[in-house]
Amino acid sequence: MTRTYRWALSLVLLAVVLVMISPILWLVSSSLKSSADMASFPPTWWPSQPRFENYTEAITSVNFLGAAQNSLTIAFISTTLTTLSSAWVGFGFARLTAPGKKQLFVVLLATMMLPGIVTLVPTYLIFAKLHMVNTYWPWVAWGLGGSAFLIFLFRQFFAGIPREMEEAAIIDGCGYVGIFWRIFLPQSWPVIAASVILSFTHAWGDFVGPAMFLSQDSTTLAVAMATGYVNDKGLPMNNLVAAGAVMYVLPVLILFLFMQRRFVSGFSTSGIK
Amino acid sequence: MSSALTDVRRSTVAEAAVERPDRKKKPPTLRKARTFYLFVAPWVLGFVGLTVFPLGYAFWLSLTDSDGLSPRTHFVGFQNYVDIFHDPLTLSSLAKTGMFALVTVPLSILAGLLLAVMVNQPIRARGLYRALIYLPAVVPPVGAALTFRLIFDRDAGAANGILSTLGANPITWLVDPNVRYVLYALVLWGCGGSMIISLAGLQDIPRELLEAAQVDGASYWQSFTRITIPLLSPVILFQVITGMIGSLQSFAPLLLSSGSLSGAGAVPQGNYLYMIHVFAQYFSASRFGYASAMLWLLFAVILLVTLLIIKVSARTVFYTVEPEGTSK
């Protein structure tokens, strides 16, 4: 490859990166503007006097901390339960045999293609009938059911562990629950990491779930931010919206920057082919 | 691993099992089968309770005139399904959703593929390029939609700021007819997700194949179209299918507008996708029966589209090995 070619490619990529990153820069810039900056046209590119009070106001003018706590609780419930349950089921598909296993596995793969939202609305109606709306029980149920994609990931990983491991354990009198818990699960930390990241970002980002299943005062950050900040005239206060959005997005971005290899491998080990 | 060795090990296990009458009342395969069912039970229960049963419940609702509140509902047969095909708003929202999918899915995949090829070249700091291009794809949907609302704000938005520095007139982006382009831009901003999947596919292509082609005098373009694309076709097919499923059930316009389920009816016409109409029917109009019929129609459409894609692609998609998972 020639040097000029390399330079040209780097320039193009640099331009792409700028385009991709500029919305985030605009969000940060907006979060530091005063309401006067927000009203001026043409717009202020970067506020001459950054207004950091936007952040404290974004926290105090809506129930930011309460919503953040709800987001964290739901993310924690879904992440732990989904990961554990998916590993458990994935172990079954990888190491045990029974009549009907093949058919069940095909059903599992097919559910990955199911449109989630089609089942979500009727699920809401059922939970409403059971008076479990506005509780965390729906997330417990979803978590315990596991995720088809993560079950598949765990199954692929567990299927690659040498058989000698479990046979030695069986000779020592260890049951399959023990084999799963003491031998297989501790080895699967790369998949656990991918699973934790994927379920956390999913739960943190989910909008329809909490919008349907939780009332406005016990909702998550995703919903609280989407409805936004309005002043007493009902007009949106966009600098506070931006500050709130920055704080909402930041945990996911930090998680990504520290764990980007895991993010990427979570998809590339999915065995698409 | 030699099979003789494993056979020996297996027989030792079987003997060990026979020697322990306290644990082994039943033949080992039966116990193994019961253990299997114990392990897959959480998923089976979840699948039945949270997917099959809700789908069935929605189907039952779709045959009634339920409004979700009054206890008395009437069985109306397939009337709701008949009504769908006489409701111009529902039909136009379906057409718009099809258009949305046909525009955004190919564009995202193409952009992702192009970027994947670029960041797969041996250049400096390509890891950084990959991470930064992928970054928007991990921004939660609500955060992304809010950001685009701020960029395309009529007065304070960056888009009109750029237009005014170029001497052009400002555009009101967030209303009809322009708002659909904001939606397309919002979706394309996440094409880094497609890039990562294509990149993983590119890295799976054996280097020897490309090197052999080079030795035989193939140009870069030739080896790209004759080797890279065919070997990448399963990955592209996967993206087409998941992309179609995802965009047919998209409700992103809701986040771009009011940001509340009850405000679904206020979404501008250009972005009035099928799911937006479903939300409006459920949460504003309380037409539970009709909305459930709409959900079932969507389910059927997605199923048909998926099968159609698989059928059409059967001759063009190239597998080096048997698809994994179905064997074993």
Side-chain angles (χ1 to χ4, degrees):
Chain A
M1 197 168 8
T2 62
R3 253 183 90 178
T4 22
Y5 173 74
R6 239 175 251 193
W7 270 103
L9 189 62
S10 298
L11 269 180
V12 173
L13 281 175
L14 207 62
V16 173
V17 165
L18 272 180
V19 170
M20 295 305 250
I21 294 307
S22 58
I24 296 175
L25 297 179
W26 186 255
L27 183 69
V28 174
S29 149
S30 305
S31 76
L32 295 171
K33 288 178 186 173
S34 64
S35 17
D37 290 328
M38 292 304 285
S40 73
F41 184 85
T44 326
W45 295 106
W46 192 266
S48 46
Q49 285 185 318
R51 190 171 182 276
F52 290 99
E53 293 91 328
N54 286 344
Y55 282 85
T56 45
E57 282 168 28
I59 290 175
T60 49
S61 65
V62 297
N63 184 15
F64 190 94
L65 294 178
Q69 202 187 337
N70 290 331
S71 280
L72 277 177
T73 312
I74 283 178
F76 178 76
I77 292 174
S78 332
T79 306
T80 20
L81 292 182
T82 309
T83 302
L84 274 177
S85 173
S86 303
W88 174 267
V89 178
F91 177 83
F93 276 115
R95 309 307 288 210
L96 292 156
T97 44
K101 172 182 163 177
K102 232 177 202 173
Q103 288 83 345
L104 273 181
F105 195 65
V106 171
V107 173
L108 176 87
L109 293 181
T111 56
M112 277 196 248
M113 299 282 176
L114 277 181
I117 199 129
V118 172
T119 53
L120 189 67
V121 187
T123 306
Y124 161 74
L125 301 177
I126 292 167
F127 275 117
K129 281 230 159 36
L130 298 172
H131 301 288
M132 290 211 279
V133 166
N134 221 11
T135 67
Y136 295 135
W137 289 113
W139 282 272
V140 173
W142 283 319
L144 286 176
S147 128
F149 177 66
L150 295 176
I151 292 172
F152 181 69
L153 276 194
F154 274 108
R155 184 254 177 208
Q156 297 299 87
F157 184 84
F158 288 148
I161 293 180
R163 192 164 277 279
E164 283 78 9
M165 285 262 185
E166 79 191 68
E167 283 169 355
I170 289 174
I171 293 169
D172 292 346
C174 190
Y176 275 100
V177 176
I179 294 173
F180 166 72
W181 189 249
R182 296 206 208 126
I183 300 172
F184 278 66
L185 197 60
Q187 286 191 53
S188 66
W189 62 267
V191 193
I192 293 179
S195 165
V196 165
I197 290 169
L198 290 176
S199 358
F200 179 85
T201 41
H202 180 264
W204 188 263
D206 185 25
F207 168 79
V208 247
M212 254 183 239
F213 286 75
L214 298 175
S215 71
Q216 194 60 34
D217 21 277
S218 57
T219 196
T220 62
L221 267 187
V223 178
M225 291 301 106
T227 27
Y229 296 83
V230 285
N231 62 15
D232 39 17
K233 287 181 196 118
L235 294 168
M237 298 185 287
N238 278 336
N239 47 352
L240 298 194
V241 170
V246 168
M247 288 186 282
Y248 164 60
V249 168
L250 210 57
V252 180
L253 292 193
I254 290 174
L255 187 70
F256 169 71
L257 288 176
F258 278 103
M259 313 275 285
Q260 28 147 329
R261 258 166 227 285
R262 290 265 157 266
F263 263 87
V264 174
S265 70
F267 296 109
S268 57
T269 56
S270 62
I272 292 158
K273 289 205 285 184
Chain B
M1 169 172 30
S2 90
S3 63
L5 184 69
T6 41
D7 284 345
V8 170
R9 298 256 165 135
R10 275 215 191 101
S11 61
T12 17
V13 176
E15 278 159 30
V18 172
E19 279 166 12
R20 301 170 52 129
D22 51 319
R23 279 185 75 113
K24 279 277 151 224
K25 291 271 154 54
K26 297 188 181 81
T29 44
L30 197 74
R31 199 171 74 104
K32 224 172 171 178
R34 270 197 2 207
T35 322
F36 171 77
Y37 296 128
L38 173 76
F39 269 93
V40 296
W43 168 70
V44 173
L45 290 177
F47 175 61
V48 171
L50 299 167
T51 303
V52 179
F53 184 60
L55 275 177
Y57 182 63
F59 186 66
W60 178 77
L61 270 182
S62 77
L63 304 176
T64 69
D65 64 352
S66 167
D67 61 0
L69 291 170
S70 53
R72 232 187 303 168
T73 54
H74 305 279
F75 185 77
V76 295
F78 284 90
Q79 190 55 46
N80 286 320
Y81 293 89
V82 175
D83 288 349
I84 286 179
F85 290 95
H86 292 104
D87 184 345
L89 200 55
T90 308
L91 292 179
S92 80
S93 72
L94 190 60
K96 268 172 227 163
T97 309
M99 192 64 199
F100 168 72
L102 286 178
V103 170
T104 55
V105 173
L107 277 182
S108 284
I109 296 176
L110 269 179
L113 180 61
L114 193 67
L115 290 171
V117 171
M118 289 202 281
V119 296
N120 199 32
Q121 307 288 332
I123 50 164
R124 226 193 265 177
R126 62 178 180 177
L128 190 66
Y129 289 127
R130 286 175 193 172
L132 289 178
I133 294 173
Y134 181 51
L135 190 71
V138 298
V139 171
V142 169
L146 287 175
T147 306
F148 273 62
R149 253 149 80 170
L150 292 169
I151 292 172
F152 290 98
D153 191 85
R154 195 178 60 94
D155 297 323
N160 279 344
I162 293 169
L163 284 181
S164 81
T165 28
L166 296 174
N169 286 327
I171 292 173
T172 42
W173 290 102
L174 293 174
V175 293
D176 285 323
N178 301 313
V179 69
R180 80 165 63 168
Y181 303 114
V182 179
L183 177 65
Y184 293 166
L186 174 65
V187 174
L188 281 175
W189 193 43
C191 73
S194 165
M195 174 190 78
I196 289 298
I197 296 175
S198 289
L199 182 64
L202 284 178
Q203 289 169 343
D204 277 350
I205 294 177
R207 200 170 265 280
E208 307 87 64
L209 280 180
L210 296 167
E211 278 164 3
Q214 212 171 21
V215 169
D216 289 346
S219 70
Y220 186 80
W221 180 249
Q222 277 174 322
S223 57
F224 182 73
T225 49
R226 302 283 172 81
I227 298 173
T228 308
I229 292 292
L231 286 178
L232 214 55
S233 56
V235 178
I236 295 172
L237 173 69
F238 170 82
Q239 293 186 56
V240 171
I241 292 176
T242 51
M244 288 304 281
I245 296 175
S247 44
L248 290 178
Q249 51 176 330
S250 171
F251 55 89
L254 188 76
L255 304 176
L256 217 44
S257 297
S258 69
S260 76
L261 289 175
S262 51
V267 168
Q269 271 308 304
N271 274 357
Y272 201 77
L273 299 186
Y274 193 81
M275 266 321 289
I276 304 290
H277 193 43
V278 173
F279 285 146
Q281 293 300 310
Y282 268 116
F283 299 108
S284 312
S286 288
R287 291 173 71 192
F288 279 42
Y290 184 74
S292 301
M294 282 188 72
L295 277 183
W296 260 92
L297 180 69
L298 180 68
F299 185 39
V301 167
I302 289 178
L303 215 62
L304 273 177
V305 168
T306 310
L307 291 177
L308 196 74
I309 297 172
I310 291 174
K311 189 118 191 146
V312 168
S313 68
R315 261 175 294 166
T316 45
V317 171
F318 178 83
Y319 289 99
T320 41
V321 287
E322 284 292 295
E324 223 177 316
T326 44
S327 53
K328 280 182 206 172

